[in-house]
């Protein structure tokens, strides 16, 4: 089968490698030259992955039969909608379903609307005066997030990146004035505990969870630096992590299942890979964010462990028959 692999990072390299080992003929679309992917590909093109029309046109010209989308940016740009319109099935959510990642405000509101466990106390703002009034009376530590995409680098946490309300307000002003992540600010209570990732295959209804992964986002020794897009990660032989019980794992899976169900009820059927970033707190698992694709670097932990034929899994996702 002729399969387009969209994206040029390490995550896409392991996606392409796993597809190749499953018998796929790889046609790669990437904005940069990744030699690992190039070595696996029958053909490749260097294109901006968010240039949806050009990507779809190239896939059509190469008679691609299935597309697997790696990064979040083309999903946010509606690449799955455009591919499906062209008759090319794709592993990844539509633009409306991908809003679970592209808008942290939407994610929190959805969880609140459907009473899904694991939500955090939060507020959404577009006005700096309202933020100033809110923080003056807020007596908990908190995190400041741009609502939209920032490549995993936009979150600043009180006591780690922010020393006081004045610094938080300056960052909020920057988000609004520069339009970072859409210029909308989400302020959430700070979740304290151990962070972990649960990724899952989703066919619209069924959620098949993968082994847990813990990644490390902070730069420098002792986690003293800023957030990065990911500084490495590990998984454990039994699919759990040293600090996670089977009960916490099951609760985490249930939260992801309920989010997928809520999206379906909203008319945003979700197909592809979903990624719950959790914090195990004293009150149990809490959702930090939801992403609409494999994690980078977490994909490198789970895909090499997959015993099933990955190409067949991808076909089952698009056929809604996992």
């Amino acid at each position: 089968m002729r399969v387009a692999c969209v994206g040029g990072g390490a995550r896409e390299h392991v996606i392409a490698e796993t597809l190749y080992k499953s018998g796929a003929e790889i046609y790669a679309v990437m904005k940069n030259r990744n030699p690992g992917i190039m070595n696996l590909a029958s053909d490749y093109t260097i294109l901006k992955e968010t240039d949806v029309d050009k990507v779809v046109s190239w896939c059509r010209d190469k008679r691609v039969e299935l597309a697997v989308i790696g990064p979040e940016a083309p999903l946010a740009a509606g690449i799955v909608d455009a591919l499906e319109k062209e008759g090319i099935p794709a592993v990844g959510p539509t633009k409306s379903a991908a809003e679970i990642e592209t808008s942290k405000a939407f994610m929190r509101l959805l969880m609140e609307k459907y009473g899904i466990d694991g939500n955090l106390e939060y507020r959404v703002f577009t006005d700096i005066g309202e933020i100033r009034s809110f923080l003056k009376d807020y007596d908990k530590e908190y995190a400041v997030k741009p609502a939209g995409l920032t490549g995993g680098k936009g979150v600043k946490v009180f006591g780690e990146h922010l020393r006081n309300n004045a610094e938080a307000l300056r960052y909020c002003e920057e988000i609004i004035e520069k339009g970072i992540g859409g210029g909308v600010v989400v302020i959430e209570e700070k979740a304290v505990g151990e962070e972990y990732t649960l990724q899952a295959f989703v066919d619209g209804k069924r959620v098949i969870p993968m082994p847990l992964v813990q990644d490390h986002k902070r730069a420098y020794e002792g986690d003293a630096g800023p957030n990065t897009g990911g500084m490495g990660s590990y998984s454990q032989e039994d699919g759990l992590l040293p600090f996670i019980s089977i009960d916490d794992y099951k609760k985490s899976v249930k939260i992801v299942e309920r989010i997928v169900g809520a999206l379906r009820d909203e008319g945003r059927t979700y197909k592809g890979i979903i990624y719950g970033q959790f914090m195990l707190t004293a009150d149990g698992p809490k959702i930090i964010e939801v992403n609409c694709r494999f994690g980078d670097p977490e994909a490198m932990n789970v895909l090499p462990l997959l015993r099933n034929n990955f190409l067949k899994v991808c076909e089952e996702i698009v056929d809604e028959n996992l």
Side-chain angles (χ1 to χ4, degrees), residues 2-6 25-29 41-44 58 62 64:
R2 300 163 78 92
V3 180
C5 183
V6 178
E25 193 176 332
I26 304 298
Y27 290 81
V29 180
S42 299
D43 200 356
Y44 69 90
W58 189 82
K62 297 299 173 182
V64 162

Side-chain angles (χ1 to χ4, degrees), residues 233-268:
S233 54
Y234 76 95
S235 53
Q236 185 170 290
E237 191 173 12
D238 63 359
L240 302 176
L241 290 167
F243 52 89
I244 293 279
S245 68
I246 191 68
D247 187 50
D248 290 325
Y249 176 77
K250 288 178 178 177
K251 286 177 182 176
S252 305
V253 172
K254 186 66 177 176
I255 289 167
V256 173
E257 287 174 341
R258 290 211 59 205
I259 289 169
V260 169
L263 286 166
R264 186 173 65 250
D265 290 347
E266 292 286 307
R268 303 175 187 233

Side-chain angles (χ1 to χ4, degrees), residues 15 43 45 117 122 140 161 204 315 318:
I15 289 171
D43 200 356
T45 185
D117 288 342
Y122 75 99
K140 297 179 182 178
H161 315 97
E315 291 180 87
V318 299

